[in-house]
Amino acid sequence: VSTGGVLVPMIDIRHLPNRKADERLVYFLRRHPITLLGVGLGYAMFFLIPFLLWWILQTSYPGLLQSPTTLPLIIAGGSLVLLFMWLFLFQLFLDYYLDIWVVTNHRIVNITQSGLFHRQVAELRLYRIQDATASIGGFLHTLLNFGTVEIQTAGEQSRFVFHDIPDPQEVTKTILHLVEEDRAQNMEAAFDDFEEQGWKRARRP
């Protein structure tokens, strides 16, 4: 299974809902790990703030650290800051790790994690796809070969977007090839779907 140049744990395709007997996994995609770097560096700087404040107190206000009243308050405040920073860092990693795109030879499954307790799953049959385009913008994106894949569909959901995935051009090429194969196998359903969408557009004022 291709993963777009990033090592990711495999999933068992049997766990996908409504799986067909001949369905196989083609891509299991996440955002490129480099996208965590900027935010991670910002969090790392915040982690240093309690230690920096402790150093300032030691050098400029040593009496505060020797007071039986203020010392527990300072330690409790610093501990709370570090605890919240760990929680924010964990949520950042969770959003990255659980935001995935699964591409099989019949469909695309988009799984989006928002916060700790909200998860959204959207599914798109390949024969509904009208077009797929890849875009790579910026020096870092070009250097590391990651970018965005935008999929235009014929359904109610007009777009599926894969953000910051590795090797987007190869992914786009593979998806378009899979679309042709799936459309040939589901010609009647694809024709009915395009006809229905055309009828809906014709009725719009």
Side-chain angles (χ1 to χ4, degrees):
V1 175
S2 175
T3 59
V6 176
L7 294 177
V8 292
M10 292 287 295
I11 64 169
D12 191 341
I13 195 172
R14 293 174 298 179
H15 294 163
L16 291 177
N18 305 318
R19 175 180 173 265
K20 288 189 173 184
D22 62 338
E23 192 167 16
R24 57 182 174 83
L25 184 64
V26 180
Y27 282 111
F28 181 78
L29 299 166
R30 287 195 182 99
R31 297 192 307 273
H32 198 288
I34 197 67
T35 58
L36 294 173
L37 181 61
V39 181
L41 289 176
Y43 275 107
M45 294 181 64
F46 276 106
F47 268 113
L48 295 177
I49 290 178
F51 301 101
L52 178 62
L53 291 176
W54 182 269
W55 178 79
I56 292 174
L57 290 175
Q58 273 188 325
T59 56
S60 302
Y61 308 98
L64 292 176
L65 300 181
Q66 297 174 1
S67 170
T69 304
T70 57
L71 180 59
L73 293 176
I74 292 173
I75 294 176
S79 300
L80 283 175
V81 171
L82 291 175
L83 176 62
F84 279 111
M85 290 304 302
W86 275 113
L87 287 176
F88 289 138
L89 190 61
F90 175 72
Q91 180 176 335
L92 171 69
F93 175 76
L94 200 66
D95 286 342
Y96 162 78
Y97 191 79
L98 296 181
D99 282 354
I100 60 176
W101 297 274
V102 178
V103 181
T104 76
N105 57 322
H106 291 301
R107 56 181 167 162
I108 296 173
V109 181
N110 179 20
I111 303 175
T112 304
Q113 183 77 23
S114 300
L116 295 176
F117 305 108
H118 180 71
R119 193 168 191 174
Q120 183 177 1
V121 180
E123 181 179 319
L124 173 65
R125 285 299 307 267
L126 292 180
Y127 69 79
R128 291 177 176 267
I129 294 175
Q130 293 180 324
D131 194 18
T133 57
S135 60
I136 300 177
F139 172 76
L140 189 61
H141 290 72
T142 303
L143 181 65
L144 298 178
N145 191 25
F146 70 98
T148 300
V149 172
E150 184 173 331
I151 296 176
Q152 301 287 339
T153 74
E156 294 296 327
Q157 170 118 18
S158 59
R159 294 191 311 162
F160 264 44
V161 182
F162 302 177
H163 295 285
D164 296 326
I165 63 169
D167 202 0
Q169 294 175 334
E170 181 63 27
V171 172
T172 300
K173 179 181 176 182
T174 303
I175 288 176
L176 290 175
H177 177 70
L178 293 171
V179 167
E180 293 301 320
E181 290 183 345
D182 191 60
R183 192 171 292 164
Q185 296 174 4
N186 299 274
M187 183 64 69
E188 184 176 350
F191 179 78
D192 291 342
D193 185 70
F194 289 143
E195 188 178 55
E196 180 183 354
Q197 293 304 317
W199 180 78
K200 287 182 179 180
R201 285 191 292 266
R203 284 178 56 92
R204 290 175 183 169

